[in-house]
Amino acid sequence: MKFSVAAARAPPLRRYNKTFTTSQERESRVLSRVCNIAEITFRNVEDGAMNKISVAEARKKAAIGQQVCVQAWVRTRRDSKGGFSFLELNDGSCLANVQVVADSALPNYESEVQKLGAGCSVTVEGEVKASQGQGQETEIAASRVVVHGWADPQEYPLQKKRHSFEKLREWAHLRPRTNTFGAVMRVRNCISRSIHDFFQEDGFLYVHTPIITSSDAEGAGEMFRVTTLNLEQLPKKDGKIDYAMDFFDRPTFLTVSGQLEAEIFACALGKVYTFGPTFRAENSNTSRHLAEFWMVEPEMAFYELPDNMDLAERFLKRIFRDALEQCPEDMAFFNEWVDKTTIETLERIIDSDFERLSYTDAIKILESSGEQFEFPVAWGHDLQSEHERYLTEKKFQKPVILYDYPRAIKAFYMRANDDGKTVRAMDVLVPKVGEIIGGSQREERLDVLESRMKEQHLDPAAYWWYLELRKYGTVPHAGFGLGLERAVQFVTGMANIRDVVPFPRTPGNAEF
Ligand code: ATP
Ligand code: MN
């Protein structure tokens, strides 16, 4: 049994707050954190005072009989012949709208209520009642409707008709008001929390690694430069740019990975993770690449490759399960409107083991597959997306962890195998998205690491601190990186990564 030092010392448990002892209590705590099934706590309000609640809360049976105030945006208005209007209101707290019945007796019924349309912002006060209509348990009988802002129906772009995701990217300031983007953002939030929960519950320490860096963790050179030099008038010395004049006295870049710095902390504190923005200046206009994305990178001392794989598998299953459990309404929406296999795929993955396959065996499978690939398959070449998708979608129909890649195509820090040809790399592939996680066991032997750096024409002196981790108390260690957006893409079934990030950064696009 492997223990942390903290567990072995078994400190007495000291509780400052009421903690939750039964599994039901924990369960209800977990559930109540979920936006759309939050506990409603009605404050004691003075007579006539209004209880401000969200649309999600107003839609619950528990709200019936309460005097409430809801603040939201109008999605639609329907006028009834009976002398009243229905307003559908949404405030982003959940996918569904709350229905408001606005009676013609309201003082501003004709002057304002009957002019409301998509995009207008309102405060509605009234009583929550059981709804007679289909599709909702409750509705609000308005006693007061205050209009905050109008949205001219001639100009407001988000009218009832559906817009393409491409079009909506041009309106990144308005697309959060659509059903799809609201759902994406709630699921993205859920996954972000799930990531922290998973690692925190497992004893990992959250480390904030720098965003500005002078080292290229991937050795691929696809980095954005950070400088305060005047580009119109660069300082020169011996005909070359004089970086001594730059802010940091050296060339600096936006980070492509927090791994190297995370290794420093893993080699002192055991299990750590970084989770932050990451930048890649690769000029690839694909549906799965962004120039700015969020990456979570756990790094663990005393982990070897199989431990790393176990962790990655447990981690992904946890994220998928949390999304299904905590965002049922949004997930049902994606399943209905975006990809009919979304929920089934996630459920199947949670219940089955990932396939683990060496790169060499994968090449054999691809060579004998009888498939016509655009890019030829050959040992020593990186796998293309079509190859990855064949393995995970057709051959195994589940996530596949590929490991032991040729050393020439992988980064210098990956641990060399004894065969002299491969390194302890691993990629986790999932259907549709392809690579979702990339990781490895790190090279902990100083001499091997130095010779690997030279092999890849990197200057060991530039990485002196990284090498010293191997000089003083080196340990086997491993880690991986998961792109948050690829995870959101996979969970929601959204086809393009630009539609699962608030403001996509891609070649030529940085408007918002
Ligand atoms: P790919 O081969 O798909 O370009 P990579 O091998 O360059 O990815 P890694 O350096 O292994 O990626 O990064 C770890 C993870 O970060 C990837 O598995 C992926 O989930 C995510 N990732 C990498 N590059 C991008 C990008 N440009 N946009 C979004 N996510 C990315
Ligand atoms: Mn990778």
Side-chain angles (χ1 to χ4, degrees):
M1 184 75 195
K2 211 165 146 177
F3 267 152
S4 67
V5 171
R9 278 173 54 90
L13 273 185
R14 205 183 280 181
R15 294 193 170 145
Y16 296 96
N17 275 320
K18 180 182 180 303
T19 46
F20 299 87
T21 43
T22 68
S23 60
Q24 285 106 313
E25 274 179 303
R26 192 176 174 281
E27 182 75 17
S28 82
R29 164 102 177 283
V30 169
L31 287 178
S32 70
R33 290 191 318 181
V34 177
C35 58
N36 51 1
I37 34 179
E39 291 289 322
I40 310 175
T41 47
F42 288 99
R43 275 165 282 134
N44 283 328
V45 285
E46 295 158 34
D47 262 355
M50 291 288 166
N51 209 343
K52 199 164 144 175
I53 63 173
S54 67
V55 166
E57 290 167 326
R59 282 181 53 82
K60 280 190 222 116
K61 263 196 188 150
I64 292 172
Q66 300 290 331
Q67 293 293 326
V68 300
C69 161
V70 165
Q71 303 190 296
W73 289 265
V74 176
R75 282 291 176 83
T76 59
R77 189 198 81 239
R78 229 164 10 98
D79 297 327
S80 157
K81 292 200 186 73
F84 52 88
S85 299
F86 292 110
L87 301 174
E88 292 280 331
L89 301 190
N90 192 287
D91 65 357
S93 56
C94 63
L95 181 75
N97 306 322
V98 69
Q99 174 166 297
V100 170
V101 184
D103 196 87
S104 59
L106 289 167
N108 61 343
Y109 183 73
E110 272 170 37
S111 60
E112 295 194 311
V113 173
Q114 283 201 305
K115 293 179 184 153
L116 286 170
C120 298
S121 50
V122 291
T123 292
V124 168
E125 295 175 358
E127 185 180 328
V128 181
K129 300 193 160 164
S131 174
Q132 317 298 326
Q134 293 259 303
Q136 71 258 334
E137 308 229 61
T138 67
E139 63 191 23
I140 301 175
S143 53
R144 189 160 171 243
V145 175
V146 179
V147 181
H148 297 283
W150 296 96
D152 183 348
Q154 301 301 319
E155 292 180 24
Y156 185 59
L158 302 180
Q159 300 301 329
K160 255 203 149 170
K161 117 186 209 326
R162 285 178 68 135
H163 298 284
S164 70
F165 291 141
E166 288 79 8
K167 192 77 212 160
L168 287 174
R169 275 174 225 148
E170 294 171 20
W171 301 324
H173 60 310
L174 298 174
R175 69 177 184 170
R177 301 180 185 196
T178 63
N179 282 337
T180 308
F181 286 89
V184 164
M185 290 313 297
R186 282 184 296 271
V187 170
R188 186 180 165 108
N189 175 68
C190 169
I191 292 176
S192 303
R193 185 176 59 208
S194 181
I195 287 168
H196 283 296
D197 284 352
F198 176 82
F199 288 120
Q200 293 291 332
E201 287 166 21
D202 222 33
F204 282 68
L205 200 80
Y206 183 23
V207 176
H208 304 91
T209 50
I211 288 174
I212 300 175
T213 177
S214 59
S215 51
D216 180 356
E218 290 301 305
E222 289 168 326
M223 305 180 85
F224 290 100
R225 193 175 283 281
V226 174
T227 182
T228 53
L229 292 179
N230 179 356
L231 298 182
E232 312 288 327
Q233 218 175 354
L234 290 168
K236 293 268 172 74
K237 198 174 167 189
D238 306 331
K240 286 184 178 162
I241 296 169
D242 184 8
Y243 285 107
M245 304 297 287
D246 204 350
F247 192 93
F248 297 105
D249 290 352
R250 74 202 69 196
T252 47
F253 309 89
L254 293 177
T255 187
V256 292
S257 161
Q259 177 201 320
L260 303 190
E261 290 90 352
E263 283 187 49
I264 293 178
F265 282 82
C267 291
L269 303 169
K271 297 193 290 189
V272 303
Y273 68 108
T274 82
F275 185 15
T278 310
F279 307 86
R280 304 236 171 137
E282 47 197 352
N283 198 356
S284 46
N285 261 306
T286 75
S287 60
R288 18 177 246 136
H289 287 94
L290 292 165
E292 176 181 311
F293 61 100
W294 280 63
M295 182 146 66
V296 50
E297 297 176 272
E299 189 71 36
M300 298 73 62
F302 306 104
Y303 266 50
E304 300 191 12
L305 199 67
D307 309 312
N308 208 22
M309 292 184 195
D310 291 346
L311 185 77
E313 180 166 344
R314 228 165 22 93
F315 174 52
L316 286 177
K317 286 178 174 174
R318 166 66 182 269
I319 291 176
F320 299 162
R321 185 157 37 84
D322 281 354
L324 289 173
E325 284 178 4
Q326 300 182 4
C327 299
E329 193 187 21
D330 295 319
M331 290 305 299
F333 173 84
F334 291 119
N335 205 59
E336 169 89 28
W337 298 101
V338 174
D339 179 347
K340 300 244 187 263
T341 64
T342 307
I343 290 180
E344 182 201 318
T345 305
L346 293 175
E347 283 174 347
R348 212 165 359 97
I349 289 176
I350 292 168
D351 292 334
S352 64
D353 293 335
F354 291 11
E355 190 69 33
R356 299 183 185 191
L357 187 71
S358 74
Y359 168 91
T360 302
D361 286 341
I363 293 293
K364 284 182 197 148
I365 289 174
L366 289 166
E367 279 174 341
S368 59
S369 68
E371 290 279 315
Q372 284 296 317
F373 294 116
E374 187 188 338
F375 295 92
V377 176
W379 200 99
H381 290 271
D382 216 350
L383 294 183
Q384 298 294 325
S385 177
E386 56 175 343
H387 308 138
E388 297 178 346
R389 294 185 60 165
Y390 171 80
L391 291 171
T392 169
E393 286 169 21
K394 287 204 178 152
K395 176 74 187 174
F396 297 107
Q397 296 175 354
K398 55 166 144 168
V400 178
I401 308 183
L402 287 186
Y403 60 91
D404 286 352
Y405 280 74
R407 61 192 280 161
I409 59 170
K410 286 292 182 185
F412 68 93
Y413 52 71
M414 299 189 178
R415 193 179 198 279
N417 279 318
D418 293 340
D419 62 10
K421 293 189 297 199
T422 59
V423 289
R424 304 240 79 189
M426 63 173 221
D427 276 3
V428 182
L429 316 177
V430 292
K432 286 174 282 189
V433 171
E435 179 188 330
I436 194 167
I437 279 180
S440 67
Q441 185 176 332
R442 320 305 189 190
E443 184 54 76
E444 85 282 14
R445 298 161 296 184
L446 182 61
D447 52 333
V448 183
L449 185 58
E450 277 175 333
S451 67
R452 279 278 285 156
M453 292 180 88
K454 288 180 189 140
E455 197 176 295
Q456 301 205 354
H457 311 292
L458 295 167
D459 177 14
Y463 294 84
W464 65 272
W465 48 268
Y466 190 71
L467 292 167
E468 284 202 354
L469 298 178
R470 279 71 181 166
K471 198 166 153 194
Y472 307 125
T474 193
V475 289
H477 61 289
F480 59 80
L482 166 77
L484 173 66
E485 287 76 12
R486 296 234 178 127
V488 179
Q489 214 184 337
F490 183 66
V491 167
T492 58
M494 293 291 285
N496 197 308
I497 197 165
R498 296 162 200 223
D499 301 328
V500 298
V501 61
F503 303 104
R505 297 287 178 256
T506 52
N509 295 304
E511 173 79 7
F512 295 90

